[in-house]
Amino acid sequence: MTAKYPSVRRRRVQASSLTLSLLLAIGATPVAAEEISAATTEEGIAVAAPAATASADTAAQVDNDVSRGDIIIVTARRRQETAQEVPIAISVIRGDSIEATGNFNVVKLQQLAPTLQVYTSNPRNTAVNIRGIGVPFGLTSDGFEQGVGIYVDDVYNARVAAATFDFLDVDQVEVLRGPQGSLYGKNTTAGAINITTNQPTFDFEGRAEVTVGNLNFRQAKAAVSGPLSETVAARIAVSATSRRGTIFNVTSDRYINEQDNFGLRGQLLFRPNDDLDITLSADYSKQDPECCGTVFVRTGLTQRPLNRQYDSLAAAQNYQVVSRNRFDRLTDIDASLNAGNKIGGTSLRVKWDVGPGTLTSITAWRFWDWKPENDRDFTGLSVVARSQNPSQQDQYSQEFRYNYSSDTIDFVVGAFGFKQRVDTQGTESQGINASRWNINPTNALSNDPSVLNGLSAINTQFLKSTSAALFGQVSWKVTDALTIQPGARINYDKKSGFYRRRVFDGAGNRVINQPASAVRTAQLAIYQEQTSAPSVSDWNFSYDLNINYKLAPDVLAYLSYAKSFKTVGINQNGLPTDAAGNPILSAGVIKPESVNHYEVGIKTQFWDRKGTFNLTAFRTDIKNYQATVTNGQLGVLRGYLANAGKVRSQGVEADFKVRASDRFTAYANAAYTDAKYVRFVDAPCPPELSGGTTVGAGQTPSAPGTPGGLSPANCDISGQRLPGVSKWSLSFGAEANAPVMLLAQDGQIYLGLDGNYRSGFSSNPSESIYTNVKGYALTNLRVGFRGDGVDVFGWVRNVFDVNYFDQLQVAPGNVGLIAGQPGDPRTWGGTVKLSF
């Protein structure tokens, strides 16, 4: 039977503590409408619970809304209401939309959510930002918090890298924009990404999906759910993805940057009565690709002497890069590559209706094992022969929440505890070409490979982190139109770390200052020993206030303010040194960020609720912004955290969707984001101002890109844009369908289009003329047939084969080499989905 209404499904859900829940499919496929009973957790994630939370009157109202057009369901106060009544900026993408557009992990999700930025050079060095803020751009340190909280079924993932798994049996993903601390276990200053998986059901159901494509792309997914008894239901899901790499390495004679992923998730639901749900979950994901290599992009002049810059150094060793055409997708890097990632854990969630409210408990343990190998010199020469920093993380969390709902008052109160330990063992070694590359050619030692060959830095480090919080929020419905919603949070954090670097020469001898010699001096210019043990604890109090007013039945205006924070951090990867080479101990602790956030918005529906248009304006001011500072010296210190004076992100977001009929839907989401350093006077300098002799008293730095010039000790980058942020971003899509009979089965043929555009952005913490990534637009198409329990479609992604970069990287040593990771070329394939 041909569909008439938007996609909605029956859910059994409990009332919970967040005053919002969204079940919206952006560009979702119209299917036969069913009855609805939906609600959410505090984070806006739908979960299984008694359907009795919806009244008959409310259900009738929802049915009426469905008949009038597209709806979004919320159940903030134990009754169903449309999401247009929720005073928050949020994007919600249903699982079927994610699959249809090929965005099967967090990294790809930014193609559907314009204000989300995800940049990665490998799983560990992944930055997830909302509105330009969240995680410092650049090499990642375990010693700071992420400003964007990533939650999977209510469980917080402490590191962005631990959330780079493939989406597995996902129901929906929600991107909440702006501070969310008064309703979350872990504080989030920039926003949150909520990932909800499909829950066990007491009706038997299953699904299977197979996809094949070019680049030897293979993906298979399956999920089965059903009852084990009258009170116990189970669900199990599995996925596997593989794809040939997009870059060919002529040194190893194979493609690199491949995909090789496996995931498994199991859940047991115990429901002894309609008031109690107990869900035990476990998951495991493994990624084992040969990744992540780069291609040569360009060179740029720095202030090093000309004979110590890339072209001269390469010519002196008769080295030529395999291709200077970046989109030949060729490289010749010679070191081993690996991005092995194992992620998993277990959780126990208890939801119990107690009197007029609901008590929720979430107990979780998660682990993350990271085993990387990199080519850190980005060349086919053995300068850095070995670079690897494997680490292991264990985290434990416990959260309690109590939610109460009435006609005039809703509230949630909660408590959260978190404990984490990360252990890292690092090794970096110089290679046979290191002496010629790193030692001044005027020094005779530059011609002796043994001086630096085998020189190794062995790092041992750990981090212990503890966090505890009390939080709560109240929604007071003053009148039928006016609601006032204050919230507060008190937070305690303690961090302690240890870092030790020991240095050995190629013969295994310890490299220390004594006995002094020319050889030792050359070696110490590359690696120096260091030990540090930073420790800090801190209390923070934050609060927020939201006032919203219904101007008309389908028009809601809101105004919100949040005083938030990002807690203290420590430098976990070593400290900068003074002129004598001693670590600057005061740099071990990073001040907390102080955040003031302002937002105003309006949500509207029109054309008998077939059209939706929402508009948001925001401004976020951050004092003591935690920024990544990079060090140009090869191997001395990869990067560390420091406080910038002030950062501001402000902009406007617009979301539009129309369901003209059951045959056509379309959406367009746009964002303008102006994110910049308001004050950062002692920032690291860009490559064109680095590498020369540091200016002394009374001296003036040389013009940018002056070989052999004078370099400033640091740079004032106040007024420059934050890295990784596009000023303009847009996502769009549309789908049209027509009824058809195929193989004696009624169904639809459909044509779908989606795409996204991002304007240019800076790919370096301090903006450089060499690392600005040009803007690009990507377009995807799909065409297929869907019927009862079957969906078959072909797809093309990046239809016009646009050449673009995901990220550019500055090679260490101030030699002027810029490397990069090209985005995916045009890909195509087909998918078959079956459900029963």
Side-chain angles (χ1 to χ4, degrees):
M1 181 178 177
T2 302
K4 182 178 180 181
Y5 302 124
S7 173
V8 289
R9 296 181 296 170
R10 171 177 292 277
R11 284 174 195 267
R12 303 182 66 192
V13 206
Q14 282 182 323
S16 60
S17 53
L18 179 62
T19 59
L20 63 97
S21 164
L22 304 179
L23 299 178
L24 168 64
I26 295 181
T29 303
V31 297
E34 302 175 62
E35 295 178 358
I36 307 173
S37 180
T40 60
T41 68
E42 286 84 344
E43 292 79 20
I45 301 179
V47 294
T53 58
S55 68
D57 290 342
T58 304
Q61 178 62 44
V62 170
D63 288 341
N64 182 55
D65 289 341
V66 171
S67 67
R68 295 172 59 192
D70 194 19
I71 63 167
I72 310 168
I73 302 302
V74 298
T75 55
R77 296 181 286 271
R78 280 190 172 267
R79 63 179 181 272
Q80 293 185 338
E81 53 192 354
T82 68
Q84 292 302 103
E85 295 174 323
V86 176
I88 193 171
I90 183 169
S91 301
V92 182
I93 306 101
R94 288 293 301 273
D96 50 4
S97 297
I98 294 171
E99 293 173 352
T101 55
N103 299 288
F104 55 86
N105 56 34
V106 170
V107 176
K108 299 291 186 181
L109 196 61
Q110 62 181 327
Q111 296 183 14
L112 295 175
T115 52
L116 181 68
Q117 300 97 27
V118 186
Y119 301 104
T120 179
S121 56
N122 59 46
R124 175 173 175 76
N125 291 318
T126 300
V128 177
N129 292 332
I130 293 176
R131 296 169 169 171
I133 54 178
V135 178
F137 189 89
L139 294 171
T140 301
S141 168
D142 294 317
F144 68 91
E145 302 293 324
Q146 57 194 49
V148 177
I150 299 178
Y151 293 80
V152 181
D153 289 341
D154 280 359
V155 177
Y156 175 73
N157 286 257
R159 302 255 61 87
V160 174
T164 55
F165 45 74
D166 284 1
F167 291 147
L168 176 59
D169 199 24
V170 166
D171 178 41
Q172 68 183 28
V173 176
E174 303 176 4
V175 181
L176 284 73
R177 310 193 286 271
Q180 305 294 325
S182 63
L183 281 168
Y184 274 68
K186 193 68 172 176
N187 188 49
T188 55
T189 56
I193 299 174
N194 288 321
I195 302 170
T196 312
T197 66
N198 291 305
Q199 300 297 298
T201 60
F202 284 93
D203 295 322
F204 180 78
E205 64 178 38
R207 57 182 299 237
E209 176 182 330
V210 175
T211 300
V212 297
N214 67 329
L215 304 182
N216 295 326
F217 181 70
R218 303 288 186 271
Q219 188 175 69
K221 300 179 181 180
V224 177
S225 181
L228 300 181
S229 70
E230 291 184 354
T231 58
V232 178
R235 188 178 192 97
I236 188 168
V238 63
S239 73
T241 303
S242 64
R243 192 186 77 174
R244 194 200 76 190
T246 56
I247 298 174
F248 187 77
N249 188 351
V250 300
T251 300
S252 63
D253 194 34
R254 60 177 295 166
Y255 285 94
I256 61 172
N257 296 8
E258 62 194 1
Q259 294 174 7
D260 185 5
N261 306 338
F262 172 79
L264 179 67
R265 176 184 296 275
Q267 299 175 87
L268 283 175
L269 168 63
F270 176 51
R271 181 178 292 161
N273 54 60
D274 286 343
D275 294 332
L276 179 63
D277 277 5
I278 302 174
T279 305
L280 176 65
S281 301
D283 66 278
Y284 173 81
S285 297
K286 180 181 180 181
Q287 302 170 5
D288 193 22
E290 184 175 353
C291 189
C292 299
T294 58
V295 300
F296 175 96
V297 175
R298 62 168 299 174
T299 59
L301 288 176
T302 71
Q303 293 187 335
R304 279 191 115 184
L306 195 59
N307 63 352
R308 301 199 66 190
Q309 299 203 33
Y310 174 83
D311 287 331
S312 297
L313 292 170
Q317 302 196 54
N318 297 315
Y319 170 72
Q320 290 186 354
V321 67
V322 62
S323 175
R324 286 188 173 241
N325 182 347
R326 62 202 74 179
F327 293 111
D328 282 347
R329 299 177 185 271
L330 296 174
T331 191
D332 60 351
I333 53 179
D334 63 314
S336 298
L337 297 178
N338 188 17
N341 220 15
K342 293 181 181 179
I343 305 165
T346 61
S347 67
L348 180 67
R349 182 173 56 195
V350 180
K351 299 184 73 67
W352 184 22
D353 283 348
V354 182
T358 300
L359 177 66
T360 303
S361 169
I362 303 138
T363 307
W365 163 73
R366 297 203 61 77
F367 74 88
W368 167 49
D369 289 343
W370 167 237
K371 296 182 179 179
E373 294 180 272
N374 302 292
D375 192 327
R376 212 180 142 234
D377 58 53
F378 304 140
T379 73
L381 295 171
S382 183
V383 180
V384 179
R386 188 180 184 188
S387 178
Q388 55 188 47
N389 286 275
S391 61
Q392 306 84 40
Q393 170 189 288
D394 283 282
Q395 71 167 68
Y396 304 86
S397 61
Q398 174 64 57
E399 184 169 353
F400 295 103
R401 298 188 300 259
Y402 183 75
N403 166 246
Y404 169 86
S405 295
S406 71
D407 291 339
T408 58
I409 294 289
D410 299 336
F411 72 81
V412 56
V413 292
F416 177 76
F418 174 82
K419 188 173 184 178
Q420 173 192 34
R421 175 161 179 143
V422 183
D423 290 277
T424 302
Q425 311 83 38
T427 301
E428 185 166 293
S429 300
Q430 299 288 291
I432 194 70
N433 303 113
S435 293
R436 182 69 66 87
W437 195 265
N438 294 318
I439 300 175
N440 195 317
T442 60
N443 187 333
L445 293 178
S446 67
N447 295 313
D448 183 356
S450 67
V451 174
L452 297 184
N453 188 30
L455 179 70
S456 299
I458 311 298
N459 303 331
T460 301
Q461 61 191 87
F462 68 76
L463 167 74
K464 297 178 182 179
S465 178
T466 303
S467 180
L470 297 174
F471 57 92
Q473 188 179 93
V474 177
S475 293
W476 175 33
K477 191 171 183 180
V478 182
T479 70
D480 288 342
L482 175 64
T483 300
I484 299 176
Q485 182 174 288
R489 177 188 187 90
I490 185 169
N491 208 93
Y492 171 77
D493 288 277
K494 181 179 180 180
K495 298 178 186 292
S496 60
F498 175 78
Y499 176 85
R500 184 183 68 191
R501 180 172 61 222
R502 293 290 180 261
V503 182
F504 301 89
D505 63 19
N509 301 310
R510 185 100 168 262
V511 176
I512 54 178
N513 290 326
Q514 300 297 329
S517 67
V519 170
R520 280 288 183 262
T521 299
Q523 293 171 340
L524 289 169
I526 304 301
Y527 300 130
Q528 295 182 19
E529 294 198 348
Q530 183 181 127
T531 299
S532 62
S535 180
V536 67
S537 62
D538 191 40
W539 288 88
N540 291 99
F541 176 73
S542 59
Y543 52 90
D544 55 61
L545 176 65
N546 180 284
I547 301 173
N548 58 89
Y549 190 83
K550 184 171 287 189
L551 302 174
D554 291 324
V555 181
L556 176 73
Y558 66 91
L559 175 68
S560 61
Y561 167 76
K563 176 65 175 179
S564 188
F565 71 97
K566 183 191 288 186
T567 191
V568 291
I570 60 173
N571 269 308
Q572 187 59 23
N573 296 335
L575 300 177
T577 56
D578 59 22
N582 298 313
I584 303 173
L585 299 180
S586 62
V589 175
I590 311 304
K591 297 177 183 178
E593 293 182 355
S594 177
V595 181
N596 285 284
H597 175 78
Y598 312 86
E599 187 165 324
V600 59
I602 187 167
K603 294 189 169 187
T604 68
Q605 284 188 302
F606 54 92
W607 193 13
D608 208 17
R609 293 189 178 172
K610 295 177 181 178
T612 301
F613 179 73
N614 299 332
L615 189 66
T616 306
F618 66 91
R619 173 169 166 167
T620 305
D621 292 313
I622 304 177
K623 293 182 179 180
N624 294 320
Y625 179 76
Q626 296 173 354
T628 299
V629 175
T630 57
N631 188 306
Q633 295 301 309
L634 186 68
V636 175
L637 186 64
R638 301 186 65 182
Y640 58 96
L641 289 176
N643 291 109
K646 187 176 181 180
V647 158
R648 176 178 300 150
S649 175
Q650 58 188 359
V652 179
E653 302 159 344
D655 302 291
F656 170 77
K657 183 177 180 180
V658 62
R659 186 178 297 274
S661 69
D662 55 332
R663 299 289 169 229
F664 180 77
T665 62
Y667 71 91
N669 307 317
Y672 168 80
T673 307
D674 176 23
K676 64 182 180 181
Y677 299 103
V678 176
R679 185 174 67 256
F680 196 3
V681 298
D682 54 353
C685 292
E688 56 267 36
L689 284 171
S690 302
T693 302
T694 302
V695 294
Q699 293 182 313
T700 301
S702 303
T706 302
L710 296 175
S711 296
N714 46 50
C715 288
D716 184 351
I717 62 172
S718 302
Q720 291 188 9
R721 57 180 172 170
L722 289 177
V725 186
S726 296
K727 183 164 287 189
W728 295 96
S729 55
L730 171 72
S731 65
F732 56 89
E735 183 178 299
N737 68 76
V740 68
M741 178 173 288
L742 182 64
L743 300 177
Q745 182 179 10
D746 287 331
Q748 301 170 351
I749 57 170
Y750 61 91
L751 174 66
L753 174 146
D754 64 87
N756 70 291
Y757 165 77
R758 291 184 179 273
S759 61
F761 60 89
S762 169
S763 191
N764 197 57
S766 294
E767 189 170 1
S768 168
I769 58 175
Y770 305 141
T771 58
N772 286 331
V773 176
K774 294 181 179 179
Y776 57 88
L778 304 178
T779 306
N780 311 315
L781 288 173
R782 62 188 181 277
V783 59
F785 168 83
R786 68 171 65 94
D788 185 16
V790 62
D791 189 357
V792 181
F793 62 95
W795 48 264
V796 182
R797 292 160 193 153
N798 191 3
V799 171
F800 301 108
D801 202 19
V802 174
N803 290 324
Y804 67 100
F805 281 102
D806 286 328
Q807 189 173 354
L808 299 179
Q809 296 173 260
V810 179
N814 293 315
V815 298
L817 172 62
I818 307 298
Q821 292 179 320
D824 284 351
R826 179 194 296 124
T827 57
W828 50 266
T831 299
V832 177
K833 299 168 63 175
L834 302 174
S835 59
F836 50 88

